[in-house]
């Protein structure tokens, strides 16, 4: 595998390539010819327009077959922007570009110098050289967002005269209404997804739930259309196989259905239930069960979604209720700080000095949690052979001793630290006298729902 620096390049193998940028980012791409300008709207690939000849965007993965790009195309430029619109990239972990060849082996990795106030970064370009294609690392930033990128690629950006709905939290902003010179793009209303109104059952459910939560002293929750869409899809998947399950026959988990709608979360819970015929019966069931009741009343939630589907073969109604608190940078910082505080409490109990937060270790830990979600693995060794000390060094850490704890599935900082302390190997890292610094990473998604990383340095 080649580690690229800005301006570095390498030849690419023939066939389809997979390009990923793990973490809280949106990936987009622009297809151009020798002039460096787009030809039309199909040359802009982003989450609401995910395909063009030779390229397809699925979540954070962009697959590209350079030979299949439109006639005349000689370059594909990969851009990355924050998943939460308007966030300076300097407030996030440094994005890392991973390029995988047709055989599934990672052939290149590029981490640009840490951005500051930029909101879009051109990470790399695939360009034709003779009969073949090459990859060049870029790292060029834009503080004026996608509009600045668009102008540089020959797109005339038109300001909208009427207000538009806010971007979906946890996903990138819908690009501004843009028109390549001499050609027309669809209006923004054609690019934005239609958000259905809540179903009567969901509305009844919300009133019943908030009444119960109020009696228990918990704050009310609100319906979120993306959580409801994911809940409906999962209820339908369970009805199709006639049983309760965290995954459907397609292998997609309930948590992957949530992130697939563009919803990013800091914590999540779910009810998977069969039998009740109405929303009232469903809520009554949840209240009657100790575990389900605790989820129903948990103060961590601020948003919910509900879906139900009837199995036509048996007449059984399958229900999915999702509970979550949405992702925010401030929330991520609070979560990581809580993990560090709890970790240092354990060290104090053992007579050890506290660990200091380290930004380089934090970047590496956050990137590893994101990578485990993006590449569907759970291990200290990444699929391309990277180890904790490799990730720490790549993020700029100079610590000579490095250790790592990982965990998945835990729904809170307290739960994950308690689990680590109950495991001898993880406990040894937390209580190692030689460690002086720590970084914490957290990402929601994947099959387990949550992925945590502690990275220690000394």
């Amino acid at each position: 595998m080649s580690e690229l620096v800005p301006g570095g390049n390498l030849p690419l193998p023939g066939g389809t390539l997979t390009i990923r940028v793990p973490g809280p980012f949106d990936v987009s791409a622009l297809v151009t010819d020798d002039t460096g300008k787009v030809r039309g709207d199909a040359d802009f690939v982003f989450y609401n327009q995910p395909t063009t000849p030779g390229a397809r965007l699925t979540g954070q993965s962009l697959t590209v077959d350079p030979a299949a790009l439109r006639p005349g195309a000689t370059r594909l430029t990969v851009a990355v922007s924050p998943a939460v619109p308007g966030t300076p990239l300097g407030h996030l972990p440094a994005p890392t570009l991973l390029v995988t060849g047709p055989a599934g082996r990672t052939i290149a990795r590029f981490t640009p110098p840490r951005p500051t106030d930029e909101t879009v970064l051109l990470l790399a370009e695939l360009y034709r050289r003779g009969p073949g294609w090459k990859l060049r690392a870029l790292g060029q930033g834009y503080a004026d967002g996608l509009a600045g990128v668009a102008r540089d690629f020959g797109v005339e950006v038109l300001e909208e005269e009427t207000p538009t709905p806010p971007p979906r939290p946890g996903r990138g902003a819908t690009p501004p209404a843009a028109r390549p010179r001499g050609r027309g793009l669809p209006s923004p209303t054609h690019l934005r997804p239609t958000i259905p109104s809540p179903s009567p059952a969901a509305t009844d459910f919300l009133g019943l739930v908030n009444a119960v939560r109020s009696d228990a002293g918990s704050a009310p929750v609100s319906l979120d259309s993306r959580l409801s869409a994911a809940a409906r899809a999962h209820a339908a998947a369970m009805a199709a196989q006639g049983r309760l399950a965290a995954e459907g026959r397609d292998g997609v988990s309930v948590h992957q259905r949530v992130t697939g709608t563009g919803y990013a979360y800091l914590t999540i819970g779910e009810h998977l239930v069969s039998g009740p015929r109405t929303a009232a019966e469903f809520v009554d069931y949840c209240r009657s069960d100790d575990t389900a009741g605790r989820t129903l009343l948990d103060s961590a939630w601020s948003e919910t979604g509900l879906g139900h589907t009837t199995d036509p073969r048996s007449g059984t109604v399958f229900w999915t209720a999702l509970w979550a608190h949405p992702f925010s940078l401030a929330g991520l910082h609070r979560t990581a700080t809580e993990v560090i505080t709890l970790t240092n409490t354990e060290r104090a109990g053992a007579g050890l000095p506290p660990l200091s937060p380290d930004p380089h270790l934090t970047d590496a830990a956050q990137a590893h949690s994101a990578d485990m979600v993006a590449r569907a693995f759970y291990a200290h060794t990444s699929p391309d052979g990277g180890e904790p000390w490799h990730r720490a060094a790549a993020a700029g850490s100079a610590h000579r001793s490095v250790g790592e704890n990982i965990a998945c599935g835990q729904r809170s900082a307290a739960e994950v630290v308690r689990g680590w302390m109950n495991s001898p190997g993880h406990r040894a890292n937390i209580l190692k006298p030689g460690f002086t610094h720590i970084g914490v990473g957290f990402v929601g998604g994947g099959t387990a729902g949550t992925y945590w990383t502690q990275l220690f340095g000394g």
Side-chain angles (χ1 to χ4, degrees):
M1 182 188 68
S2 296
E3 290 278 0
L4 296 178
V5 297
N9 63 80
L10 80 161
L12 292 170
T16 300
L17 306 167
T18 300
I19 299 170
R20 297 183 306 279
V21 185
F25 306 108
D26 278 334
V27 177
S28 55
L30 296 112
V31 179
T32 57
D33 52 26
D34 287 336
T35 68
K37 306 298 182 183
V38 297
R39 177 185 292 180
D41 56 289
D43 283 350
F44 190 17
V45 181
F46 64 106
Y47 79 88
N48 251 356
Q49 185 171 276
T51 61
T52 194
R56 174 181 292 274
L57 181 64
T58 305
Q60 293 175 308
S61 293
L62 177 71
T63 54
V64 181
D65 181 356
L69 293 174
R70 66 160 173 83
T74 58
R75 185 188 306 170
L76 181 141
T77 304
V78 180
V80 66
S81 55
V84 178
T87 304
L89 286 167
H91 293 180
L92 302 176
T96 295
L97 180 88
L98 300 169
V99 182
T100 303
R105 183 178 63 87
T106 300
I107 58 177
R109 178 164 54 192
F110 170 56
T111 301
R114 187 172 182 83
T116 54
D117 60 347
E118 294 93 338
T119 54
V120 176
L121 200 65
L122 302 185
L123 278 181
E125 64 180 6
L126 281 63
Y127 64 100
R128 186 190 297 275
R129 179 67 67 191
W133 286 75
K134 301 184 75 173
L135 173 74
R136 178 184 291 119
L138 298 176
Q140 177 185 353
Y142 289 77
D144 51 352
L146 287 174
V149 177
R151 293 187 188 98
D152 273 11
F153 282 80
V155 178
E156 179 186 356
V157 178
L158 304 178
E159 298 297 332
E160 294 178 327
E161 297 179 356
T162 57
T164 58
R168 298 174 297 162
R171 297 294 301 164
T174 298
R179 183 171 293 125
R181 294 190 179 101
R183 295 183 61 86
L185 276 179
S187 70
T189 55
H190 292 143
L191 295 177
R192 292 190 180 93
T194 300
I195 298 175
S197 300
S199 68
T203 303
D204 292 345
F205 165 78
L206 185 65
L208 293 164
V209 162
N210 280 334
V212 174
R213 288 175 65 87
S214 177
D215 290 344
S218 297
V221 292
S222 60
L223 279 174
D224 182 88
S225 59
R226 293 152 301 165
L227 289 176
S228 293
R232 289 193 297 270
H234 196 71
M238 292 192 297
Q241 55 190 339
R243 63 183 179 87
L244 299 176
E247 291 186 3
R249 286 175 178 162
D250 55 4
V252 178
S253 74
V254 63
H255 308 107
Q256 289 169 317
R257 297 188 201 283
V258 172
T259 55
T261 69
Y263 189 98
Y265 54 83
L266 283 171
T267 186
I268 194 164
E270 63 279 335
H271 285 122
L272 308 179
V273 177
S274 63
R277 309 294 301 181
T278 65
E281 290 182 11
F282 175 78
V283 174
D284 283 344
Y285 162 77
C286 294
R287 295 178 66 185
S288 67
D289 181 85
D290 287 344
T291 301
R294 284 194 296 273
T295 299
L296 182 71
L297 303 176
D298 197 323
S299 60
W301 322 130
S302 59
E303 295 179 335
T304 187
L306 180 74
H308 63 98
T309 302
T310 301
D311 180 354
R313 296 160 298 187
S314 65
T316 302
V317 183
F318 287 83
W319 298 79
T320 299
L322 294 168
W323 313 86
H325 187 74
F327 174 89
S328 69
L329 291 174
L332 178 62
H333 178 72
R334 285 194 301 270
T335 299
T337 299
E338 188 176 356
V339 170
I340 294 173
T341 298
L342 292 168
T343 297
N344 281 334
T345 298
E346 298 292 346
R347 288 178 63 88
L352 296 170
L355 302 172
S356 300
D358 183 292
H360 301 302
L361 295 177
T362 298
D363 287 349
Q366 185 68 22
H368 188 57
S369 288
D371 195 23
M372 288 191 287
V373 171
R375 291 202 271 179
F377 74 98
Y378 176 65
H380 295 288
T381 303
S382 63
D384 54 12
E387 301 287 358
W389 42 92
H390 299 145
R391 295 189 286 271
S397 171
H399 291 292
R400 306 176 80 177
S401 175
V402 172
E404 184 180 78
N405 286 344
I406 59 175
C408 65
Q410 294 81 4
R411 305 304 171 90
S412 69
E415 184 180 349
V416 74
V417 173
R418 183 167 60 249
W420 280 327
M421 287 300 294
N422 289 335
S423 166
H426 299 95
R427 179 186 178 94
N429 273 337
I430 288 175
L431 301 181
K432 184 172 181 177
F435 287 146
T436 57
H437 290 78
I438 187 174
V440 174
F442 167 84
V443 171
T447 56
T450 59
Y451 289 77
W452 305 78
T453 303
Q454 276 185 321
L455 198 58
F456 305 90

